[in-house]
């Protein structure tokens, strides 16, 4: 059976550039046993399968897959899913993923935001480098494949602005262009609000809550729709 896939870019710049590609699929169109195969075939860092709620519902259930495994939580898929549902005329207040209930907000300045517990995000090895140039020149092959790696440097510590890259070969992602879960971990690690520019120029906004919650937000745009046989 043909499966329709919406392809979004999540955490774009204000001009709609960059962002991390995301496959979004109506879960009713794919048997659960076939979701990993489809995510592998699509090859995006994540693909999210959404149980589309009835009109007027305030929550939706979703499952997230990398090319090699299912994740209990991830940031750019949940932000993208929340945006996609609103674009279909079904804005929600929460997304139910295996890790727990993700809070959703839609802001007046065009950001889509989700709030998650810091412990839902996977652990990352964090490396503070001396300059943005060192971040830019980092070679993913220099980092082992047993965990995710977050390399970063301040662009303005006073403003909470930093530049980063993420390598996650252990889940089939050599380099992730924009990683919400890593932004959650980094925000909790530094215990402050951040403006993160990741990869080639993707932008993630975060807010830290001392009660253990982190809100991440960004802009989303639709790239295309495709059909997979």
């Amino acid at each position: 059976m043909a499966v329709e896939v919406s392809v979004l870019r999540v955490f774009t710049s204000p001009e709609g550039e960059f962002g991390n590609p995301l496959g979004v699929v109506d879960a009713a169109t794919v048997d659960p046993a076939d979701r990993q195969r489809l995510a592998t075939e699509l090859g995006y860092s994540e693909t999210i399968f959404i149980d589309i709620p009835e009109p007027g519902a305030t929550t939706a259930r979703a499952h997230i897959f990398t090319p090699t495994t299912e994740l209990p939580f991830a940031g750019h898929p949940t932000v993208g899913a929340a945006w996609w549902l609103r674009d279909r005329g079904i804005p929600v207040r929460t997304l139910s993923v295996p890790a727990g209930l993700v809070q959703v907000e839609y802001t007046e300045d065009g950001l889509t935001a989700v709030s998650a517990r810091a412990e839902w995000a996977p652990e990352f090895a964090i490396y503070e480098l001396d300059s943005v140039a060192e971040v830019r020149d980092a070679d993913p092959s220099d980092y082992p494949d047993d965990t995710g790696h977050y390399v970063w440097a301040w662009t303005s510590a006073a403003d909470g602005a930093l530049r980063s890259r993420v390598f996650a070969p252990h889940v089939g992602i050599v380099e992730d262009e924009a990683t919400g879960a890593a932004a959650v971990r980094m925000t909790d690690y530094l215990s402050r609000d951040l403006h993160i520019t990741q990869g080639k120029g993707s932008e993630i906004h975060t807010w830290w809550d001392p009660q253990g919650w982190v809100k991440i937000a960004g802009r989303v745009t639709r790239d295309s729709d495709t059909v997979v046989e």
Side-chain angles (χ1 to χ4, degrees):
M1 183 176 70
V3 177
E4 183 175 320
V5 181
S6 296
V7 183
L8 312 179
R9 281 182 293 114
V10 183
F11 300 130
T12 71
S13 70
E15 297 76 27
E17 298 177 323
F18 310 110
N20 199 357
L22 172 71
V24 183
V25 180
D26 177 351
T29 65
V30 182
D31 187 278
D34 292 330
R35 292 174 184 172
Q36 182 64 73
R37 177 192 57 77
L38 179 59
T40 302
E41 181 178 346
L42 289 170
Y44 303 124
S45 59
E46 281 102 8
T47 298
I48 189 165
F49 298 84
I50 305 173
D51 291 316
I52 299 175
E54 295 295 325
T58 60
T59 193
R61 182 176 301 168
H63 290 269
I64 303 161
F65 289 81
T66 77
T68 62
T69 191
E70 182 176 4
L71 300 177
F73 166 77
H76 106 275
T78 49
V79 170
W83 182 94
W84 184 80
L85 286 165
R86 188 188 195 191
D87 190 57
R88 292 174 65 101
I90 319 172
V92 294
R93 296 179 183 171
T94 54
L95 287 169
S96 177
V97 298
L101 205 60
V102 177
Q103 305 295 316
V104 175
E105 296 178 45
Y106 304 101
T107 72
E108 293 183 357
D109 56 354
L111 299 178
T112 300
V114 301
S115 295
R117 299 292 301 175
E119 63 265 23
W120 294 351
E123 295 285 351
F124 287 84
I126 297 172
Y127 309 84
E128 182 178 4
L129 305 184
D130 291 332
S131 68
V132 170
E134 287 189 31
V135 173
R136 183 194 61 227
D137 295 339
D139 186 344
S141 66
D142 290 339
Y143 297 86
D145 60 4
D146 57 345
T147 190
H149 303 275
Y150 194 95
V151 299
W152 71 284
W154 289 115
T155 54
S156 174
D159 297 326
L162 61 87
R163 190 75 188 230
S164 69
R165 294 172 67 192
V166 171
F167 314 129
H170 66 303
V171 291
I173 305 166
V174 175
E175 180 169 357
D176 208 8
E177 171 60 26
T179 317
V184 168
R185 277 290 179 192
M186 193 63 185
T187 302
D188 188 62
Y189 173 73
L190 293 174
S191 300
R192 61 179 297 184
D193 304 346
L194 297 173
H195 181 118
I196 299 169
T197 302
Q198 186 179 321
K200 296 179 176 64
S202 302
E203 296 189 21
I204 307 171
H205 305 268
T206 76
W207 294 264
W208 178 69
D209 182 334
Q211 301 303 314
W213 291 90
V214 175
K215 180 164 69 175
I216 57 173
R219 295 174 176 84
V220 183
T221 189
R222 182 188 294 271
D223 259 359
S224 62
D225 292 328
T226 187
V227 175
V228 178
E229 298 294 336

